[in-house]
Amino acid sequence: MANIKNVTELDFDQIKVNLKAYLSGQDKFADYDFDGSGMAVLLDILAYNTQYNALLAHANANEAFLDTAQMRANVVSHAKSLGYVPASAKSSEAKIDVTVVGIAGGPISATMPRGTVFSGLIGSKQFTFVTNESYTTSKNILNRYVFENVSVFEGEIETFTYRVNGQIPNQKFKIPTDKVDTSTLVVAVRDSVTSQVSEVYTFFNNILDVTSDSRVYFLQEGYGGEYEVYFGDGIIGRKPTTGQVVDIAYIKTNGAEANGASSFTTDATIAGLSGATAALSTGFIKTFSGADREDIDSIRFNAPKAFQSQNRAVTSIDYDAILKLEYDYIEDIAVWGGEVNDPPTYGKVFISIKPKTGDYLSNTTKSIINRFLSTKNVGSITTEIVNPDFTYITMNVFFKYDPNNTSRSKSQLEIAVKDAIINYNDVNLEKFDGVLRFSKLLKAIDNADKGILNSTVRLKMHKHVAPITGETRDYAIKFSSPIYQTSTTEQTITSSTFTYAGQGCELTDIASNTYPNRIVQIRNATTKAIINPAAGTITPTTGMVDLNQIKIDSVATLLIFVDPNSNDIAPKFNQLVSIEKDETPGVVVTGEEDTIATLGSVGASSYTTFSRHE
């Protein structure tokens, strides 16, 4: 008797074949034509039913685990068991200064209430920003009220009121939108609908600080994707009683869409006065920190790490998990202990953060993060946030191609190669563990089109240096990787042109008496005459270029180029590697027809190879 094979089969046709094989082995159906009779219809039904059940069983098994679940509700449920609350959307934020012209005999102080509305522009699109607290200031000698460093958040304030029903066990109070910024939540409890007095509850953060009478609220994402507020049970956190009223206020936001607003206006009346003007506060260029709701891939990645950190900062993974959970605008983060820093600084943890918008955090944002971490650090450990340090890569790319094996022209192939390089940068670089692996870069180039036969790349590292013009000072420039080591007359450093001693100059170098170190010189960019024979030193092994006591008279940004000692370029600590794809000199791509591929041995006589150096 035949048995049904592979009871976990998912393919419809194979299921049907298995059923036929089983029935053919039965004495009653030995002579049946299963394809040409009514039995075929029954087999189709059985196969469909079996396939549906198999798919359902597989789906149920997948949804039972955090790593394989695909439905957001199930991913969130698994994360909840680890004590993880998915990050909500985050309002784009800015600090602005608001000026209101007073009137003679007016009050000596004025108050800007919570909910004051401002308009921020990104291009031609207008976004609404609001204050989430009130501000008070005094009138100055110019008869003006100036509110400085006012925090405004993109979105609109919404408020919902619920009544506590003690008959409902574990009552939840739903926030009816998935665009809520939970960091702006204000939860208050009143004794009755008519009561004007309310108690503000704070977000539950640490069970060690909570008693049976603590005014705290808890937060979770519900099955439908909306967040839910709930309270303690009288043992962990105070439990509101039947008839009390819960007021929930929050900002409903558009998330990352509002990042980048740089001009603000308002039609609001402040202290009875209209005509207020608003401008970004000192140190702020545009709105920042807006983020969309955390997606399921991020939840799947962050939940175990947050559980592992247990809300304390001890290891580098703890800092990574805590900060990414608290601040949605972090794209990447690097953490290292002071004992491995250069130079060592014991008792300190260094953190470098690359935000999703822009390259650096503002000083104000750094202070906010440091204050937050002061509640998580262990013992006397302190934190210092340092800016990411970019090393840019410029490259000349050469490739040979067979025109008989591609439909693209030479210029189209060059564009395809540049696009492949940009994609390699976006996928692999501009992150703290982003190593430029030369062989994989070449593979990406060769795979840009089937007509490309081989490729060669000449790399240079470079830095953007903003000199203090007209001031004699030192400059220390550190590259991500060691610099090319040689004792010959080969030039390992170049630069863009800058004004020095009244002349247009550039950098060059010569060998020193201490190999592999080299001496940096300044020479006339046109005549190549040496103007300063000892302007600094190069220490190739550490990637350091030191310019000593030089005065640059004029240049917007000085570009300093060096040859890397290896074509594999790896960042350390706060360093990031990025291919300079937009600005000059950037990426220069040159294609050349392969004469051997097109002409065979006849073409060998005119075949040329690409040189390794310029």
Side-chain angles (χ1 to χ4, degrees), residues 114 132 158 175 180-188 200-203 217-219 227-229 247-251:
R114 175 176 178 266
N132 202 33
E158 292 188 345
I175 300 172
V180 57
D181 178 356
T182 58
S183 68
T184 64
L185 267 179
V186 178
V187 178
V200 175
Y201 280 51
T202 58
F203 176 63
Y217 70 88
F218 301 83
L219 191 68
Y227 285 88
E228 297 171 340
V229 171
D247 296 315
I248 300 176
Y250 58 87
I251 292 178

Side-chain angles (χ1 to χ4, degrees), residues 69 428 533:
N428 298 284

Side-chain angles (χ1 to χ4, degrees), residues 171-226:
Q171 186 178 6
K172 308 291 191 304
F173 305 94
K174 183 180 292 186
I175 300 172
T177 178
D178 60 1
K179 292 186 176 183
V180 57
D181 178 356
T182 58
S183 68
T184 64
L185 267 179
V186 178
V187 178
V189 177
R190 292 179 286 150
D191 287 337
S192 66
V193 175
T194 58
S195 176
Q196 300 299 312
V197 179
S198 62
E199 291 182 302
V200 175
Y201 280 51
T202 58
F203 176 63
F204 168 82
N205 189 43
N206 192 329
I207 196 170
L208 297 177
D209 302 325
V210 177
T211 67
S212 61
D213 199 43
S214 296
R215 269 63 168 173
V216 296
Y217 70 88
F218 301 83
L219 191 68
Q220 68 178 22
E221 184 176 323
Y223 189 81
E226 297 95 352

